[in-house]
Each structure stands twice: as structure tokens, then as C-alpha cells.
Amino acid sequence: EHLAFSGVLANGIVHDFRNPMSSLRLDAQMLEKEAARGAEARPARMGELSGRMRHTLDRMEKVFQEFLVLARPGEAAPERLDLAACAQECLDLLAPRFEASNVAHELRGPAEPLVVRVSAAAVKRALLNILLNATQHAGAGGRVTVALARHGAHARLEVGDTGPGIPKADRERVFEMFYTTRPQGTGLGLFLARTAVEKNGGTLVAADPEGPGARLRMEFPLAEKEQA
């Protein structure tokens, strides 16, 4: 069991570092192309790309710290997290992936904040994995939508895409370790996402989509003050 856990942990590290590394590589390639324009290079565009690269490196450092916490006994202390702000941060981090894949994205949310008590780092990482999965399946010209709403005493966050969708028979299997339908997939993204969500008192399921594509639904109890 210890060896199996070590293997899962090692795969998780590779998976969680490969995502930001891919974004960093894409931004570096775009920065190189912009610099090659010489006198026609746009300083504002170069500054934007450099800023995104710095933000990605900061995120990688945070992920590294998360695994250090995971390697030590105990759990990260829960803290108040605004799900809409978390979703926006994740979308910003994946901006180079959306741009390179020609996938549009949007965030829909209520006027009031949806605050939950969770390990913020773990939930952000889970949402990044879900968004990356949606981006990969949406395809060029597709769209990824993040919708937030209050559902009774719970905060609900749904990620939808315009891809081929998930057959009903596979809606539970997609969360199994190493299950993937993509040749280059690791089968760890959604498994790690559900594990993180459930450890923080939430649920993650594949819900019925409103139209074509897939819809993943994440729910957490609202923080005490917001419930009242």
C-alpha cells in the first residue's frame, strides 16, 4: 500500500507540473515569435507574455509546496475561499492554453460571493485539472464555461465544454485512477480532482449537460456566515 501510494504521488507530481510547464512553453514560444519581429515587436504583448510566464512559475512553486505538505503528516488547515475568485485565477493561469488551442472561455457567477471553507491550494489544483480536461475535449473553436450559483446551503461550480461529452456509462469511470480516453492522457487529472474535492467536504460528479458536451459539477457547503 505504501509503494502504491508512492507511485500515485509520483504520478501526481508529474501530472501537476506538466500542465503549467506546457503553458510556460507556449508563452515562451509566443514571446520568441514576438521578439523575432524586431522593430515591429509589440512591447505591450511581450510584457503580457512575460507576466503570464512569471505567474505560471509562481503557481509551480505553490504546487511544489503543496506536495511538500502532502508528504508530511496532517492536512492543510481550511480557510475561506471565494469560488468565483478561484475560478478566475485558474482561467487566467490557463490563458495560454486557451489561446493556443483556439478555445473560448467565460465565467458566469452570482452577484454575491460564494465563500467556502476548504484548503484553497487543493481546490485550485482540482479546478485546474477539470478546466484542462474540458479544454482538451472542447477542441479548436470550442468553448469552456464556468458557472457558479448558490444551491441551498451549498456553493455549486459547474464546468461545461462543447466537446463530444461523456457517455452515461462512463460518467463514474472518468474519475477512476488511470482511466483515460486520450492516447496522451495519464488518467490522473479527474481522479486527483475528485480526491481533493472530497477531502475538503465537497462532491464532484459528471452531471447531465444542458446541451452538447460534458458538464462536471463541484459542490461545497457554504461557510457558516454565508449559510445564515
Side-chain angles (χ1 to χ4, degrees):
E1 289 178 355
H2 283 291
L3 287 172
F5 174 76
S6 298
V8 172
L9 181 61
N11 277 303
I13 292 172
V14 171
H15 183 274
D16 276 14
F17 269 89
R18 188 168 63 176
N19 293 344
M21 281 290 290
S22 176
S23 295
L24 190 63
R25 183 181 297 109
L26 289 170
D27 273 341
Q29 290 171 348
M30 288 186 281
L31 182 61
E32 184 179 17
K33 289 180 180 178
E34 190 66 33
R37 298 177 62 178
E40 297 181 358
R42 298 165 293 178
R45 175 60 171 167
M46 296 176 72
E48 175 192 0
L49 293 169
S50 299
R52 290 199 322 206
M53 292 171 69
R54 185 182 67 253
H55 183 72
T56 300
L57 288 169
D58 290 342
R59 174 60 190 167
M60 291 172 68
E61 173 64 20
K62 290 180 181 178
V63 171
F64 181 68
Q65 294 299 326
E66 290 168 33
F67 277 108
L68 287 180
V69 171
L70 182 59
R72 295 193 297 264
E75 297 288 341
E79 56 189 289
R80 293 172 64 85
L81 175 69
D82 183 339
L83 277 184
C86 174
Q88 186 62 63
E89 181 180 346
C90 292
L91 289 172
D92 291 342
L93 180 62
L94 291 178
R97 176 60 63 91
F98 287 122
E99 183 176 338
S101 303
N102 190 27
V103 174
H105 62 280
E106 65 175 315
L107 176 63
R108 305 171 186 167
E112 73 277 10
L114 294 176
V115 180
V116 296
R117 283 190 61 81
V118 294
S119 168
V123 171
K124 287 177 185 177
R125 201 173 79 225
L127 183 53
L128 278 172
N129 282 335
I130 295 170
L131 286 170
L132 182 65
N133 184 74
T135 304
Q136 291 166 340
H137 286 92
R143 174 176 291 273
V144 172
T145 302
V146 181
L148 297 105
R150 178 173 182 143
H151 189 70
H154 290 75
R156 174 178 290 181
L157 185 154
E158 294 183 335
V159 176
D161 66 65
T162 54
I166 305 173
K168 284 191 174 182
D170 292 336
R171 288 185 185 174
E172 191 60 30
R173 289 194 67 197
V174 294
F175 297 104
E176 294 178 3
M177 190 188 305
F178 303 127
Y179 177 79
T180 181
T181 57
R182 297 186 306 109
Q184 303 301 321
T186 62
L188 281 170
L190 294 183
F191 166 76
L192 291 172
R194 173 177 270 188
T195 300
V197 169
E198 291 182 345
K199 281 188 175 182
N200 282 274
T203 59
L204 177 60
V205 299
D208 292 330
E210 295 179 349
R215 180 165 56 157
L216 296 185
R217 176 182 296 158
M218 180 191 300
E219 283 193 8
F220 293 99
L222 286 163
E224 292 79 2
K225 181 179 178 181
E226 280 67 26
Q227 287 184 12

